[in-house]
Amino acid sequence: MLLFILNTISFISVAVVINKYQNSTVKLENAYQLQYKSLILAHELRQSSDDLTRMARTYVITGNPLFEEQYKTVLDIRNGKKNRPKRYNGIFWDFYTLDGTKPILDGEKVPLRDLMKRANFPDEELNLLFASQNESDDLTNLEHKAMNAVKGIFEDENGNFTIKGKPDFKLARELMHSDEYHKAKIRIMQPLDNFYKAFEKRTQERVNDERKTVKQQEFYVNVIVLFSVIFFLMSFFIILFRIIYPIDLLRVAMLKLSSNDMSVELDKNKYDDEVGDMIGSVSIFKENTKKLIESEHQIKLAMEEAKSANKAKSIFLARMSHELRTPLNAILGFSNILKKSMNATQEEKNNLNIIKRSGEHLLNIINEILELSKIEAGKIEIIPKVFNLKELIEDINSIFAFRCKEKGLEFKIVLDDNLPEVVKMDDLRLRQILINLLSNSLKFTNEGEISLYLYEKSQKLFFEIKDSGIGIDNKDLKRIFKPFEQIKHEDYNKNGTGLGLSITKELVTLMNGSIYAKSKVNLGTEFYFSVDYKNANSSDIDAQLKLKDIIGIEKNKNKKTILVVDDIEVNRNLLTQILTSHGFEVFQASSGYEAIELFEKQEFNLIFMDIKMSGLDGLETIKLIRKDEKDKNIPIVAVSANVFNEDKEIAIQSGADGFLAKPVDEKELLIILAKYFNLKLKYLENNEEKADIFERISKLDKKFFIKLNEFALLMDSSSIEQFLENSDIENDLKLYLKELVENFKYKEISEICIKNIQ
C-alpha cells in the first residue's frame, strides 16, 4: 500500500511538472507569435508608404492611370475603406503592373490602426506608429499635388485643387524628388525607427523571460523524471524480492503438490503480509492433499466396485432379456399361428388372446426395464426424421378415441392454428411419450374427459395432457418420475413396473425439453412437456413401412430355400412354420457346426442365424461362412433375444446383413424377406385389395350388418370376435374385420355396417 501511495504521488508530480512545462512552452510560443505579428504590422506601415511613393513617382513619369488607381487602392486598404487581401505582403503589387490586371481583395475590411490596437501594442508604441502614419499622410499631400499637376489641376490659395491649366510634368517630377518630399519621408521613418527599437526591446524581454521559465521547468522535469525512475527501480526490486520471488516459490510448490510430491517445505512465518497468508493457504492445501491421497485408494476401490456392479447389471439385464424373450418368442409366435387356425373353437381363440395379451404385457415390462437401463447408460439415441405431425396426432387419436369411449370418457385433441405440418424430430420417441402419458391418464380416469392440447412457440412444441381422474397427492408428485415408483390407490390395482413416467421424463430431456405435472386429488392431473423440433418440407418425409397394414406377401413364384439355425427346437419350429406358410422351403440346424455342414452340402438363398448358441455361437459361424469368397453374397440375418444396439452392431460387424429381434414379429420377418428376395408385400390398405374386400363385404346379408353394428356401438370386442367366428363368411373378410377390432376402429366398423344396411 505504501509503494502504491508513493508511486501515485510520484506520477502525479511528474504530470503536474510536465503540465507546467507545456504551459511555459505555450507562453514562449505566444511571445514569438506576438513578436512576428507586430513586425508584420510595422512592416506593412513602412511598405504602404514605399508603395505609395513608387506608384506616385511612376504615375508622374508615365501618366498611366493604372498607377493612380493602385495609389488610391493602397490608401483605401490602409484606411479600411476597401477589403484587405488575405496575403498582403511586400511583393503583392509587383504582380499588378500591367494594364488590365485587377488586384484580388478577398480579406477583411479593417483599418491598419485597428489591427495595431488588436495586437495589444503598448500606448507608447502605438503613439509612435500613429505618428509615423500621420507623417505618411503629410507625404501623401505632396504626392496628390504631383499627380494633380500631371492632370493640369493645381491648388488655390485655400489649398483646394480648383485651378485648371496645362499638365505640368516638370512640376510633378520636382515635387516627387524635392528636398521637401525627402524630408517628409524621413519624418515618417523617424517614429517608425523608434517604434522598432522600443518594440524589439519589449518583445525580446518577454521572449527572454519565457525562455528562462521554460528552462527552469525543463530542469524540474528532468529532476522529477530522474527521481521517478529511481523510485520505480526501487519499487521494482521491492516487488521482485517481496512478491515475485515468493509467488514463484509458491508456483513451484503447487506444481510439486499437483504431482503428489509432499516433500515441499513452506515457511509461512517468513513473510508477515499477504504473501505469508498465501503460503499459509498453500500449507493448508498441502495437508488437505495428503488427506486426499490417503483416501484416493479407497475412492479407486469404490469406483472399481461401481464399474463391476454396472457391468454385472448389464450382464444381468442382457441375460434376463435373453432368457425371458426366448420363451416369449415361442408363446407369442405359436399363439399367433394358432389364432390364424380356423379349426380352433371360440373358447380356444379367447384363451389364445389371453395368452397373447399376457405375453405382450410381459414383453412390454421387459422392454421398459431395458429402455430405462439404456437411458441410464447413455445408450439411447435420438434419431430425427421428417414426418407429418398432424398424421402422428391422428394415429394417437385413433388409438385412444375409442378406448376412451369404451370407458365412457370424452377424448378431445385441440391443435393450435400456427402448428407446423411437417417437422423433423424423433417421431418414435414422441409417439412413445404421448402414449405413455395418455395411457396413464386413461388408466386412472373413470369419468369425465381426457384432452390433449398442442401448440408451437420459439421452435418448440408444447403439449398439455389433462384428465379428470383420481389425481395425485402433492407428496406423491415429487416421486412420480422416479423409477419403479407407483402411486397406490385402493380403487386402482393396476399392473405395471412404475417405469413409464421415468422413461418419459428421460426421453423428454434427451429431446431438449422439460416436463412437469400438476394435480389435485379427485379433480384430475395435468402433464406439461415441451420438445425441440426443426422445420422441414413435405418432400423430405421419410418413406416408412406401416407394420400394422402388412397382411402377407404376393405369391412366391420362385421357391426360395432358407436355413434356420437355432439351438432351441421351439424357436426353429416357430420360424419354420411361419416361413413354410408363406411358401418357402426351410431347413433346420441345431448348432453352428451343423449349419456349416448343411451349408457345404446344400445351396441356400437366406440364413436366419441365432446368435447365442452353445458350442460354436452364431457370430463365429457367420465368420466361418464369410471366409469363402463365394459365400460372401448370401444374406445372413442375425436372430437374437439380446436387443441392445451394441448387440446389433456386433452382429453386423461379424458379417450379418440384418437383425431380427426375438420375440419374432411376423410382419418384420415379412419385410426382411421382401427386402432380400425382392418380393412385393401385401397391405391391408392397398386400394385394389381394399376395393375387392369392400365389394365382397357389400354382398353379405343385411342381418349380418345389423348384428355387427349393435356390437360395434357397444364396443364389445369379444362379442364381435365370437360373432365373426360363428358367421359363414370368407376367411380374409374375417381377418380384415378382426384387424379393425384389434385396432379399436369401432367407428369404421359401424360406418361399414350403416352403409350396407341402407
Side-chain angles (χ1 to χ4, degrees):
M1 183 59 69
L2 181 62
L3 283 176
F4 171 76
I5 293 171
L6 292 176
N7 276 283
T8 302
I9 293 172
S10 174
F11 285 124
I12 292 173
S13 301
V14 170
V16 170
V17 171
I18 290 175
N19 183 59
K20 288 184 177 181
Y21 172 73
Q22 289 177 337
N23 291 335
S24 298
T25 56
V26 170
K27 289 180 180 179
L28 178 61
E29 181 68 24
N30 291 337
Y32 280 121
Q33 289 288 337
L34 178 62
Q35 187 180 45
Y36 172 74
K37 290 179 180 179
S38 301
L39 284 172
I40 291 294
L41 291 174
H43 177 72
E44 184 180 337
L45 181 60
R46 184 194 62 79
Q47 181 65 38
S48 64
S49 178
D50 289 345
D51 287 339
L52 291 172
T53 299
R54 178 174 56 82
M55 292 171 184
R57 284 178 176 176
T58 306
Y59 177 72
V60 299
I61 294 173
T62 62
N64 190 343
L66 170 66
F67 296 102
E68 183 185 17
E69 180 66 24
Q70 289 183 351
Y71 179 89
K72 293 178 179 178
T73 302
V74 171
L75 284 176
D76 290 342
I77 291 172
R78 189 172 71 179
N79 296 326
K81 296 180 179 180
K82 287 189 178 180
N83 294 71
R84 179 180 302 275
K86 288 183 179 179
R87 296 189 61 190
Y88 196 39
N89 48 39
I91 62 173
F92 179 82
W93 292 105
D94 292 333
F95 297 98
Y96 301 102
T97 56
L98 299 176
D99 291 338
T101 56
K102 294 289 183 181
I104 300 173
L105 308 179
D106 54 357
E108 183 184 5
K109 186 186 289 186
V110 56
L112 183 59
R113 289 194 176 202
D114 289 348
L115 290 177
M116 291 177 178
K117 291 178 181 179
R118 289 182 190 176
N120 294 323
F121 284 88
D123 291 340
E124 58 270 18
E125 291 179 10
L126 280 175
N127 291 334
L128 291 171
L129 289 174
F130 294 159
S132 175
Q133 188 175 358
N134 291 334
E135 293 296 337
S136 176
D137 293 339
D138 293 341
L139 186 64
T140 302
N141 290 331
L142 290 174
E143 291 167 347
H144 276 297
K145 285 181 183 180
M147 287 190 290
N148 283 328
V150 173
K151 297 177 183 178
I153 301 173
F154 304 95
E155 278 185 308
D156 57 16
E157 56 186 11
N158 296 321
N160 296 321
F161 293 94
T162 57
I163 302 172
K164 294 184 179 180
K166 292 182 179 180
D168 191 346
F169 284 90
K170 181 179 179 182
L171 176 61
R173 286 192 294 272
E174 288 176 352
L175 287 172
M176 290 303 299
H177 292 85
S178 64
D179 291 341
E180 184 183 1
Y181 186 85
H182 289 296
K183 289 177 182 178
K185 191 77 172 177
I186 291 171
R187 287 196 300 273
I188 293 173
M189 295 305 168
Q190 190 64 47
L192 196 58
D193 182 57
N194 294 332
F195 164 78
Y196 278 131
K197 291 177 182 178
F199 162 75
E200 287 178 357
K201 181 181 178 182
R202 177 178 61 82
T203 55
Q204 191 62 43
E205 286 176 355
R206 182 172 177 182
V207 168
N208 291 337
D209 290 341
E210 297 300 336
R211 280 180 180 174
K212 184 178 179 181
T213 304
V214 168
K215 287 184 178 180
Q216 187 179 19
Q217 295 300 324
E218 284 179 351
F219 172 76
Y220 292 152
V221 168
N222 292 332
V223 170
I224 196 67
V225 169
L226 179 62
F227 173 77
S228 297
V229 170
I230 294 171
F231 191 76
F232 173 77
L233 290 174
M234 289 174 60
S235 301
F236 173 77
F237 281 107
I238 292 172
I239 292 171
L240 182 66
F241 289 102
R242 291 296 301 274
I243 298 176
I244 296 177
Y245 282 171
I247 288 178
D248 188 58
L249 290 174
L250 280 174
R251 180 186 64 83
V252 174
M254 291 294 290
L255 287 173
K256 288 183 178 180
L257 290 174
S258 66
S259 60
N260 295 334
D261 183 1
M262 296 295 112
S263 62
V264 177
E265 294 295 334
L266 296 168
D267 186 4
K268 62 181 179 180
N269 298 320
K270 186 176 180 180
Y271 301 98
D272 187 18
D273 54 13
E274 295 87 346
V275 175
D277 295 338
M278 292 173 64
I279 294 174
S281 300
V282 174
S283 298
I284 296 172
F285 173 76
K286 176 183 174 181
E287 297 301 321
N288 292 336
T289 304
K290 285 182 179 179
K291 294 177 182 178
L292 286 173
I293 292 173
E294 291 172 359
S295 61
E296 185 179 354
H297 181 65
Q298 296 178 356
I299 294 173
K300 285 183 178 179
L301 289 176
M303 289 178 65
E304 291 297 328
E305 289 177 2
K307 287 181 181 178
S308 299
N310 191 46
K311 186 176 180 181
K313 173 186 171 183
S314 298
I315 294 171
F316 170 76
L317 288 173
R319 249 179 220 169
M320 287 301 296
S321 171
H322 184 273
E323 296 303 323
L324 291 172
R325 283 174 177 271
T326 299
L328 278 175
N329 183 46
I331 293 170
L332 293 176
F334 283 113
S335 64
N336 282 331
I337 291 173
L338 289 172
K339 190 178 176 184
K340 290 181 181 179
S341 173
M342 300 312 298
N343 297 323
T345 65
Q346 181 60 39
E347 185 177 358
E348 290 171 338
K349 287 183 178 290
N350 291 337
N351 293 335
L352 286 172
N353 281 331
I354 293 171
I355 294 172
K356 184 185 177 197
R357 282 196 295 270
S358 299
E360 287 174 346
H361 179 66
L362 181 57
L363 179 61
N364 184 59
I365 292 174
I366 295 169
N367 287 337
E368 284 186 343
I369 294 173
L370 291 177
E371 188 89 348
L372 183 64
S373 175
K374 286 190 283 185
I375 290 173
E376 289 177 345
K379 294 178 180 179
I380 287 289
E381 292 184 8
I382 298 300
I383 304 173
K385 291 182 180 179
V386 178
F387 66 96
N388 190 300
L389 179 61
K390 293 184 179 179
E391 287 184 2
L392 184 144
I393 299 301
E394 282 296 323
D395 288 344
I396 296 296
N397 184 60
S398 66
I399 293 172
F400 286 95
F402 283 101
R403 290 174 65 182
C404 288
K405 195 170 184 180
E406 192 175 22
K407 290 186 69 174
L409 303 174
E410 182 183 353
F411 180 68
K412 62 180 181 181
I413 296 177
V414 181
L415 304 181
D416 199 54
D417 293 336
N418 66 343
L419 205 63
E421 185 172 351
V422 179
V423 297
K424 184 175 183 181
M425 59 190 301
D426 194 326
D427 60 326
L428 295 178
R429 297 302 178 190
L430 178 60
R431 184 190 299 269
Q432 184 178 354
I433 292 167
L434 289 172
I435 289 175
N436 281 352
L437 293 175
L438 288 169
S439 296
N440 199 66
S441 293
L442 184 63
K443 184 188 298 184
F444 296 105
T445 304
N446 273 341
E447 58 182 18
E449 67 175 25
I450 298 173
S451 64
L452 168 63
Y453 176 44
L454 171 58
Y455 61 95
E456 187 275 342
K457 192 174 182 181
S458 302
Q459 283 301 111
K460 277 185 176 289
L461 295 177
F462 292 85
F463 298 81
E464 297 179 6
I465 296 173
K466 303 178 182 180
D467 64 60
S468 57
I470 62 174
I472 306 171
D473 193 87
N474 283 334
K475 64 181 181 180
D476 295 325
L477 269 178
K478 298 178 181 179
R479 58 190 183 94
I480 60 172
F481 292 112
K482 293 181 180 180
F484 303 104
E485 291 284 353
Q486 287 183 299
I487 309 304
K488 304 297 181 182
H489 196 281
E490 56 185 6
D491 297 330
Y492 289 83
N493 186 18
K494 300 291 183 180
N495 295 323
T497 60
L499 295 175
L501 289 179
S502 176
I503 292 171
T504 297
K505 184 179 186 301
E506 295 296 337
L507 291 176
V508 169
T509 302
L510 288 172
M511 297 174 76
N512 296 321
S514 58
I515 183 171
Y516 68 95
K518 295 195 304 184
S519 184
K520 289 186 178 180
V521 177
N522 298 324
L523 293 178
T525 304
E526 300 174 6
F527 284 94
Y528 302 86
F529 75 92
S530 63
V531 289
D532 280 353
Y533 82 96
K534 291 183 179 179
N535 292 315
N537 298 319
S538 56
S539 58
D540 299 327
I541 293 179
D542 300 329
Q544 299 177 11
L545 294 172
K546 296 183 179 180
L547 294 179
K548 67 178 183 179
D549 298 329
I550 298 172
I551 59 174
I553 56 176
E554 298 290 345
K555 289 184 180 180
N556 187 7
K557 296 179 181 179
N558 300 321
K559 199 167 188 179
K560 303 292 183 181
T561 305
I562 297 174
L563 175 61
V564 175
V565 186
D566 199 311
D567 60 344
I568 299 175
E569 184 180 3
V570 175
N571 293 337
R572 294 198 307 272
N573 291 337
L574 173 62
L575 264 178
T576 300
Q577 288 189 37
I578 296 173
L579 293 170
T580 304
S581 67
H582 291 287
F584 295 98
E585 185 179 359
V586 183
F587 290 81
Q588 294 186 13
S590 60
S591 67
Y593 297 109
E594 186 180 353
I596 292 172
E597 186 179 344
L598 278 172
F599 186 76
E600 291 174 349
K601 296 178 182 179
Q602 176 75 33
E603 287 189 2
F604 298 104
N605 302 109
L606 179 67
I607 299 175
F608 285 101
M609 181 72 67
D610 184 44
I611 297 300
K612 192 173 181 180
M613 295 188 295
S614 58
L616 187 66
D617 66 18
L619 298 179
E620 292 299 324
T621 306
I622 293 172
K623 290 177 182 177
L624 290 173
I625 293 174
R626 293 296 190 205
K627 277 186 176 180
D628 196 341
E629 287 292 330
K630 67 177 182 178
D631 300 329
K632 287 187 176 180
N633 294 325
I634 182 170
I636 301 177
V637 178
V639 184
S640 178
N642 292 334
V643 292
F644 284 112
N645 285 332
E646 53 265 32
D647 297 316
K648 298 178 183 179
E649 291 173 3
I650 290 171
I652 299 300
Q653 291 171 3
S654 299
D657 299 288
F659 189 91
L660 181 63
K662 293 180 182 178
V664 173
D665 188 315
E666 184 176 350
K667 294 173 183 178
E668 289 183 357
L669 176 64
L670 293 177
I671 291 174
I672 291 173
L673 295 172
K675 175 183 176 182
Y676 292 112
F677 294 150
N678 197 24
L679 301 174
K680 189 175 180 181
L681 292 169
K682 293 174 68 177
Y683 293 95
L684 183 63
E685 293 183 1
N686 181 280
N687 291 334
E688 295 179 2
E689 185 83 20
K690 212 167 185 180
D692 178 61
I693 288 174
F694 285 165
E695 183 180 352
R696 286 187 287 132
I697 285 178
S698 64
K699 296 178 180 179
L700 298 177
D701 188 64
K702 285 188 178 181
K703 293 181 180 179
F704 171 83
F705 291 113
I706 292 170
K707 194 68 176 175
L708 180 61
N709 189 40
E710 291 178 3
F711 294 133
L713 293 174
L714 295 172
M715 293 179 289
D716 189 348
S717 57
S718 59
S719 297
I720 294 175
E721 289 183 0
Q722 187 175 358
F723 175 67
L724 291 174
E725 290 300 328
N726 296 330
S727 300
D728 186 18
I729 61 174
E730 298 177 47
N731 290 334
D732 58 344
L733 299 183
K734 287 183 180 181
L735 288 174
Y736 173 70
L737 294 171
K738 285 181 180 181
E739 185 77 20
L740 295 179
V741 174
E742 288 180 2
N743 288 287
F744 306 101
K745 295 185 177 180
Y746 299 107
K747 183 179 179 182
E748 191 171 333
I749 296 172
S750 180
E751 289 174 351
I752 292 172
C753 294
I754 293 170
K755 182 179 179 181
N756 289 283
I757 291 172
Q758 293 173 347

